[in-house]
Amino acid sequence: MTFETHSAKSYSITSASIHPFSYLRCMRKLIVNISEIAGILDDSVPRKAGSEMSEIDILSNGWITIKDGLIEDYGTGTPPEGADETIDAGSGIVLPAFCDSHTHLVFAGSREDEYVHKVMGLSYEEIARRGGGILNSAKLLQQTPEKELYRQSLVRAEEIISLGTGAVEIKSGYGLTAEDEAKMLRVARRIGEETALTVRTTFLGAHSFPAEYRDNRDAYVNLIINEMLPVVAAENLADYIDVFCDRGFFSVEQTERILEAGARYGLRPKIHANELDYSGGIQTGVRNDALSVDHLEFTGEEEIEILKGSDTIPALLPGASLFLGMQYAPARRMIDSGLPVALASDYNPGSSPSGNMKLIMSLGMIMMKMLPAEVLNAVTINGAYAMGLEKTHGSVTRGKIANLAITKPIPGINFIPYAYGSNLVAQVILEGEMQL
Ligand code: NIG
Ligand code: FE
């Protein structure tokens, strides 16, 4: 206690003289009038798998204290005294802020006209073959200056904060040249620095083949390995590496080569797999110790067995299935087989133009037959695990970063995915600071 008081004081004096707002971070804040605190965990739980996913620890009539941007304590009944600031939760539920482990939210412009073509009958792959799809976004991104790309992406980052997201993974993959991939990743890093979001970045040079490499795909793989990766590594722009390993995109062999090269730079894989077919992507991911394999609409018993013996978490993206009118990943079968499941938004201009994680929870329940507790774990602690953030994010845990979403007054957590069209997030606290 003596140590805490001392360190808080010395921090406040030094920081206050540098920046007046730094002082605020040292205050003790108290959240009161909480109907339920949901998503409490002790710090030994890295993720939830199988039947653990249907368990959520809830405390009724609660309070939470925040100090130096971290969750200091929580409890029920009479709150402690001595807070510098009191936040009224308005009888709402306090949840861990959402952890969105798969997005492409740095992109230029939008592709709504292409979607009209899709509605008129063209398939996703046909649109891609005609130079639409990812290549359309790449062309636009290459023409967009970094400053403008940041401006457009910041709007999306602020939007997801307002919807309750506190940590997000952001991929490159619309640059497709060393220079433009680096530009995307710098923008993603800057979002992490200039907003209260925790950002993890992923290098996805292997998102699509540029038109000039259509007939010499291996030459593009060489470019990724020999030119892009060294730049990304030299500037420390990425935390992870991704490949779109699927039918019509990168083969298993090409994926292996890229992941092996990434591993030489210390980049762990988080890959796009089995979205369009039983592509071997899941096996390739597990073989290369991927942190997550993502999409997985085409997953059978063989793939489930392979995942069971690994530390790789399936990250499912029901927003893409909704938007593309495709089948959903078999979440129910995965959980019943004992696997952990994370849910993420896939926020991108082509297959899922939304970063609304509460809607993702609803899709998990409505379309994938997941239970409310399962979808809540999938977008919090399991999402954190899928970004390597499970020690600091994804639950209400003493010592974790105070990233919390407070709902409007609602009957209980089952109401969250059920009320699929309502924004129930009333207040968002990130790093202990009120965001809205
Ligand atoms: O995750 N599947 C590959 N990439 C994205 C789609 C990107 C796009 O169409 O722009 C996805 O769905
Ligand atoms: Fe994606």
Side-chain angles (χ1 to χ4, degrees):
M1 189 62 201
T2 322
F3 173 72
E4 272 181 39
T5 315
H6 171 74
S7 66
K9 264 192 183 156
S10 56
Y11 178 72
S12 66
I13 292 163
T14 3
S15 331
S17 56
I18 298 165
H19 191 298
F21 297 117
S22 308
Y23 171 71
L24 295 175
R25 298 180 67 86
C26 304
M27 299 196 314
R28 178 176 280 113
K29 298 181 186 179
L30 170 68
I31 312 177
V32 294
N33 198 11
I34 302 171
S35 67
E36 291 179 346
I37 305 172
I40 295 169
L41 276 184
D42 75 57
D43 55 12
S44 64
V45 180
R47 62 180 192 181
K48 292 202 169 197
S51 58
E52 297 161 356
M53 283 194 69
S54 52
E55 294 158 10
I56 283 277
D57 280 349
I58 293 177
L59 202 58
S60 298
N61 184 26
W63 53 264
I64 296 175
T65 54
I66 296 172
K67 204 176 143 212
D68 298 346
L70 304 179
I71 297 170
E72 181 190 40
D73 202 2
Y74 56 82
T76 182
T78 312
E81 290 176 5
D84 301 292
E85 185 187 328
T86 300
I87 297 164
D88 186 342
S91 298
I93 295 179
V94 173
L95 311 165
F98 301 131
C99 297
D100 190 351
S101 67
H102 180 135
T103 85
H104 309 246
L105 78 70
V106 171
F107 58 85
S110 53
R111 306 213 312 257
E112 62 278 14
D113 293 341
E114 219 172 79
Y115 196 68
V116 175
H117 292 139
K118 188 183 143 31
V119 168
M120 290 165 76
L122 292 193
S123 75
Y124 184 64
E125 285 159 301
E126 263 162 6
I127 290 170
R129 263 197 299 279
R130 294 178 180 208
I134 294 166
L135 295 186
N136 193 354
S137 286
K139 197 162 129 202
L140 208 54
L141 187 134
Q142 289 163 1
Q143 294 161 355
T144 305
E146 188 162 329
K147 213 169 151 193
E148 171 60 13
L149 185 62
Y150 176 72
R151 194 195 61 76
Q152 292 183 23
S153 306
L154 183 62
V155 173
R156 295 177 204 117
E158 286 172 346
E159 184 199 11
I160 66 168
I161 291 173
S162 75
L163 294 169
T165 295
V168 64
E169 182 255 20
I170 305 176
K171 298 171 191 298
S172 66
Y174 294 120
L176 308 184
T177 67
E179 191 190 325
D180 293 298
E181 286 291 301
K183 175 169 86 179
M184 286 187 79
L185 291 167
R186 275 195 302 271
V187 167
R189 284 273 195 239
R190 192 173 157 203
I191 287 172
E193 284 154 18
E194 296 189 19
T195 72
L197 284 171
T198 302
V199 172
R200 282 288 170 270
T201 59
T202 300
F203 168 57
L204 176 56
H207 198 191
S208 188
F209 293 95
E212 59 272 34
Y213 291 95
R214 195 176 303 153
D215 300 320
N216 190 3
R217 292 180 158 205
D218 284 334
Y220 184 63
V221 173
N222 292 340
L223 186 82
I224 291 171
I225 293 172
N226 300 325
E227 288 184 32
M228 295 188 193
L229 258 174
V231 171
V232 168
E235 291 188 43
N236 189 25
L237 292 174
D239 303 305
Y240 298 104
I241 185 164
D242 192 350
V243 176
F244 188 7
C245 180
D246 226 318
R247 190 187 69 209
F249 289 84
F250 291 79
S251 70
V252 164
E253 292 71 28
Q254 290 165 336
T255 304
E256 294 270 6
R257 279 191 62 208
I258 295 166
L259 297 187
E260 279 164 19
R264 289 198 285 275
Y265 292 100
L267 297 176
R268 198 172 172 193
K270 276 172 66 65
I271 70 168
H272 282 74
N274 297 44
E275 176 185 3
L276 307 172
D277 206 345
Y278 295 93
S279 61
I282 294 175
Q283 289 87 335
T284 309
V286 170
R287 234 184 352 261
N288 288 277
D289 189 33
L291 176 56
S292 70
V293 283
D294 301 27
H295 272 292
L296 315 194
E297 286 81 355
F298 289 83
T299 301
E301 289 312 314
E302 183 189 323
E303 285 83 2
I304 287 179
E305 278 311 308
I306 284 162
L307 283 164
K308 268 162 73 175
S310 78
D311 289 333
T312 304
I313 189 167
L316 312 183
L317 313 170
S321 298
L322 173 77
F323 196 72
L324 298 180
M326 297 196 324
Q327 68 187 68
Y328 287 77
R332 188 70 269 146
R333 257 194 299 131
M334 290 177 180
I335 296 170
D336 291 344
S337 305
L339 289 178
V341 163
L343 292 177
S345 73
D346 199 13
Y347 197 172
N348 77 73
S351 69
S352 188
S354 166
N356 185 338
M357 288 294 276
K358 185 187 153 289
L359 177 62
I360 296 302
M361 290 174 73
S362 296
L363 290 175
M365 189 174 177
I366 299 165
M367 305 306 294
M368 298 162 121
K369 305 285 174 257
M370 291 171 72
L371 302 172
E374 290 173 335
V375 292
L376 187 52
N377 280 315
V379 298
T380 55
I381 188 64
N382 284 2
Y385 178 89
M387 289 186 271
L389 292 175
E390 70 279 4
K391 290 199 173 74
T392 48
H393 292 70
S395 61
V396 178
T397 303
R398 293 180 187 94
K400 279 197 178 181
I401 294 176
N403 275 14
L404 303 166
I406 306 178
T407 72
K408 296 172 184 170
I410 54 172
I413 64 157
N414 290 0
F415 191 81
I416 300 170
Y418 156 84
Y420 75 93
S422 309
N423 176 20
L424 302 176
V425 175
Q427 301 182 70
V428 178
I429 296 170
L430 298 184
E431 298 175 337
E433 302 290 332
M434 193 67 87
Q435 305 295 309
L436 77 146

